Amino acid sequence: RADGRSKREGESFVRLPHRLIDAPAFKALSPVARTMLTLVMARYCGNPAHNGDLPFAARDAEAWGIGRTAASEALAELVAFGFLERASEAAMLGRVARRWRCSELPTADGSGREVAPTFAARRLTGDDVARICAQVAANRQVRKPPDLFLWSV
């Protein structure tokens, strides 16, 4: 169909255009961050008014074998690169997940008109990507393995 929706009920997909996959920022993402971006984009149902209301919490990634700490770090990485933007914070009381806006998806303005995606991450230069990679690496906590027995001879 011309509107991009499937003719079959309940069938959906996540669109990853070649321009996105070939972007330096996408290539610089960790594998966990790429998976998380796909999972957040999968929450989009095709209505531009819903971008900015995409619910996703770190615990949602556990079904995909991604721990909460790794998921939180990946979400922070996606925000740093400009793929995601926090639309609203989580509410522990009432168990409401944080809401996200994805720069790769169309959104709606206040009057309900569709606004084209910003593609913020695709506009990054190689120098920008290198700078952000360094920031992301610095923000990650370095976990040291526990000291094992030290054998003396």
Side-chain angles (χ1 to χ4, degrees):
R1 290 168 61 172
D3 60 6
R5 294 183 298 177
S6 174
K7 294 178 184 177
R8 297 180 186 173
E9 290 295 320
E11 188 174 316
S12 61
F13 60 92
V14 177
R15 183 172 181 239
L16 296 175
H18 286 281
R19 286 189 321 259
L20 168 62
I21 295 170
D22 295 336
F26 188 81
K27 291 178 180 178
L29 289 175
S30 66
V32 174
R34 278 188 226 125
T35 301
M36 295 291 288
L37 179 61
T38 306
L39 293 174
V40 173
M41 290 175 73
R43 301 282 173 108
Y44 182 70
C45 65
N47 183 346
H50 291 154
N51 189 13
D53 195 31
L54 303 174
F56 201 84
R59 69 178 175 271
D60 295 335
E62 288 179 336
W64 290 85
I66 301 171
R68 289 184 189 188
T69 302
S72 295
E73 289 174 352
L75 288 169
E77 185 177 346
L78 291 168
V79 169
F81 277 103
F83 286 104
L84 293 181
E85 175 186 332
R86 284 186 192 111
S88 68
E89 289 299 323
M92 293 305 288
L93 202 63
R95 300 181 56 90
V96 176
R98 180 176 285 151
R99 305 295 177 168
W100 300 95
R101 180 177 296 107
C102 181
S103 67
E104 296 294 318
L105 301 171
T107 189
D109 61 8
S111 64
R113 290 184 310 215
E114 184 173 336
V115 178
T118 61
F119 304 121
R122 290 192 206 176
R123 291 197 202 114
L124 296 175
T125 64
D127 292 338
D128 292 333
V129 170
R131 180 181 46 79
I132 293 170
C133 282
Q135 287 174 349
V136 167
N139 288 340
R140 285 204 173 114
Q141 294 178 354
V142 178
R143 292 186 211 104
K144 292 172 38 176
D147 291 332
L148 300 177
F149 296 103
L150 298 176
W151 299 96
S152 59
V153 179

